[in-house]
Amino acid sequence: MMLRSVFLFFVALVGFSFPNTSEAKLPKVEKGQPMPSDLFVELAKLVNPAVVNISTTQQVRMRRQFGPTGDPFFDLFQQFMGPQMQQPIQPAQSLGTGFIIREDGLILTNNHVIAQADIIQVQLSENDDQLYDAKVVGRDGRTDVALIKINAKKKLPVAILGTSSTLEVGEWVAAFGNPFGHGHTMTKGIISAKGREIDELNRFPFLQTDASINPGNSGGPLVNTAGEVIGVNTAVDARAQGIGFAIPIDDVKSILESLEKFGHIKRGYLGIYLTNVNPSSAQSLGLPSTKGALITQVEPGGPADKAGLKPYDFVLEVNGKEVKSSNDLVRSVMDIPVGGQAKMKINRNGKDQTLMIAVGSHPEDTKLADASPKRQEKTSASELGFKVADMSGSLIKEYNLPRLRKPRPVVVEVIAGSTAAQAGLAPGDVILDVNKKAVYSAKDVVRHFKKKQLNILRVLRQDQVFLAYLEYK
């Protein structure tokens, strides 16, 4: 089982207004009616004028290598591919897509298209060589949505924002963008699935489509047969063909006003990490069921910590609403404004209890001290197939580890095919506890392992906390 954990942020979502452009769309193809033979021809004529090519220039910096150098499209998939070697690159242009949502030059795109950009330029069409300098109006990494603006000194064609709430699997859609720099390209397909939750990439569940999406399509519109935008092209699963993802437009619309007004999403903050559980892990942890969200980490000094929440607390309800999964918890609470109260029913050590949590403001910066020990010890858990070492300055630098308040042991070697590898451990993982006992050295890890039972490890990987299960026979 893949256990996914997500650092829990709560977002105050608000509406966003757009000019009335309803006259500039195609007649909707009703169910059971034949599709016009020139439908996609007319879609191209309608949508392409509002689609723009976005190019960015970045200064020299260290970047992870995956896929074509300098293309932001691939940055999203580093977590699928595991740790990669970092290599220096020269200043380079990156390509992406956006689409105009207001006549004055307001453009919607993905955050990862413009992330780290020093210069952002927009080309309106293939026949127009002029590049317009763009400024960032607002951006948000967790939702991967960004607003940029150009001053074209004229009214620009606008894409019509539809709704994603009424979409059905099997509906025809078309994706627009600039794949591999080939400007203004349209591909067609269907909605393959809805509600694809890939927490490593995006807070909102994705739409899945088999319309061809390639590097450079990021930030482009996914439209229905009426020419209305129903999603923002964002990513593909690089392990397969015909599996592309788009952010539902209803979710995007809910945050646009905040992005334009404040430049970011005004966030609440609880300071917890979450994961889901399966029947086996629920039994091992003594949980009443698999329905709920397991807290794997509580940030010291955060709202959850002040309210008394602890790792291994199992959240059952929020403000009287049942929690079925970690993402269900996010959706249940994200409407609570900063300063509001979250009434949480939890199960702790087999007993239910209720805690009140005041939703706080998200900290702008968390300063963590470097608590590297002076001496590094390495211990082998050879029967399980991994080696662990005391945290040190060299390991922090080698694995780009977060600087923690207290040193924790670090996995430095995992044997392919071993029990540790099958449990998902990888070099650079930081072990927080073993069988609910905190560990601060390599020796602690081995000491707390128990033979002839399933051992539970709480592991920090970059900014994600998850549980690993190792059978020690």
Side-chain angles (χ1 to χ4, degrees), residues 261-383:
K261 185 176 181 180
F262 304 108
H264 61 275
I265 296 175
K266 300 197 74 173
R267 288 202 163 110
Y269 172 73
L270 288 186
I272 57 178
Y273 292 75
L274 299 172
T275 191
N276 298 321
V277 296
N278 65 6
S280 176
S281 56
Q283 183 178 5
S284 298
L285 293 167
L287 301 177
S289 73
T290 59
K291 288 185 178 181
L294 183 69
I295 296 176
T296 58
Q297 175 74 327
V298 178
E299 289 293 307
D305 183 37
K306 293 176 181 178
L309 285 173
K310 298 178 181 180
Y312 296 105
D313 283 347
F314 194 58
V315 182
L316 303 171
E317 294 181 2
V318 174
N319 290 343
K321 183 178 180 180
E322 182 185 17
V323 172
K324 298 178 181 178
S325 67
S326 59
N327 283 297
D328 195 28
L329 174 58
V330 174
R331 288 189 290 269
S332 296
V333 183
M334 67 182 175
D335 286 334
I336 300 176
V338 174
Q341 295 288 318
K343 183 179 180 182
M344 276 193 183
K345 180 181 177 181
I346 64 170
N347 182 277
R348 178 184 294 170
N349 298 324
K351 296 181 180 180
D352 290 352
Q353 57 182 283
T354 300
L355 298 175
M356 295 297 297
I357 306 172
V359 178
S361 298
H362 185 269
E364 292 294 328
D365 184 33
T366 303
K367 296 181 179 179
L368 298 176
D370 180 6
S372 305
K374 296 179 180 179
R375 184 169 59 93
Q376 178 181 339
E377 285 195 36
K378 183 183 292 186
T379 302
S380 173
S382 56
E383 294 180 49

Side-chain angles (χ1 to χ4, degrees), residues 91-346:
Q93 277 201 330
S94 300
L95 298 176
T97 303
F99 53 99
I100 305 166
I101 60 173
R102 209 165 57 202
E103 292 176 339
D104 63 355
L106 189 64
I107 295 169
L108 177 61
T109 187
N110 285 141
N111 179 67
H112 75 265
V113 169
I114 61 163
Q116 309 301 322
D118 299 299
I119 299 172
I120 304 171
Q121 293 185 310
V122 171
Q123 182 181 5
L124 296 179
S125 71
E126 292 181 288
N127 299 323
D128 186 354
D129 293 331
Q130 183 174 355
L131 294 176
Y132 296 90
D133 291 331
K135 66 176 183 179
V136 177
V137 174
R139 56 190 293 180
D140 181 67
R142 184 66 182 121
T143 57
D144 198 19
V145 176
L147 287 173
I148 61 175
K149 196 171 187 298
I150 63 172
N151 182 13
K153 299 180 180 179
K154 61 182 179 181
K155 289 186 177 181
L156 299 175
V158 175
I160 311 147
L161 302 191
T163 179
S164 51
S165 62
T166 58
L167 280 176
E168 296 186 58
V169 173
E171 283 193 40
W172 281 103
V173 290
F176 290 80
N178 303 287
F180 292 103
H182 300 299
H184 289 77
T185 299
M186 179 181 74
T187 58
K188 69 178 177 68
I190 61 170
I191 294 295
S192 304
K194 300 191 300 180
R196 288 293 193 219
E197 296 178 350
I198 306 177
D199 302 321
E200 296 85 351
L201 300 186
N202 196 281
R203 188 179 65 78
F204 295 131
F206 286 122
L207 299 173
Q208 181 181 325
T209 179
D210 65 350
S212 182
I213 296 176
N214 289 286
N217 276 109
S218 292
L222 185 70
V223 306
N224 60 18
T225 56
E228 300 167 326
V229 180
I230 47 85
V232 180
N233 304 325
T234 297
V236 296
D237 190 330
R239 302 164 298 180
Q241 294 182 345
I243 301 180
F245 301 105
I247 308 171
I249 200 61
D250 288 349
D251 292 326
V252 175
K253 288 192 294 186
S254 69
I255 64 174
L256 289 183
E257 184 177 3
S258 182
L259 285 179
E260 184 176 26
K261 185 176 181 180
F262 304 108
H264 61 275
I265 296 175
K266 300 197 74 173
R267 288 202 163 110
Y269 172 73
L270 288 186
I272 57 178
Y273 292 75
L274 299 172
T275 191
N276 298 321
V277 296
N278 65 6
S280 176
S281 56
Q283 183 178 5
S284 298
L285 293 167
L287 301 177
S289 73
T290 59
K291 288 185 178 181
L294 183 69
I295 296 176
T296 58
Q297 175 74 327
V298 178
E299 289 293 307
D305 183 37
K306 293 176 181 178
L309 285 173
K310 298 178 181 180
Y312 296 105
D313 283 347
F314 194 58
V315 182
L316 303 171
E317 294 181 2
V318 174
N319 290 343
K321 183 178 180 180
E322 182 185 17
V323 172
K324 298 178 181 178
S325 67
S326 59
N327 283 297
D328 195 28
L329 174 58
V330 174
R331 288 189 290 269
S332 296
V333 183
M334 67 182 175
D335 286 334
I336 300 176
V338 174
Q341 295 288 318
K343 183 179 180 182
M344 276 193 183
K345 180 181 177 181
I346 64 170

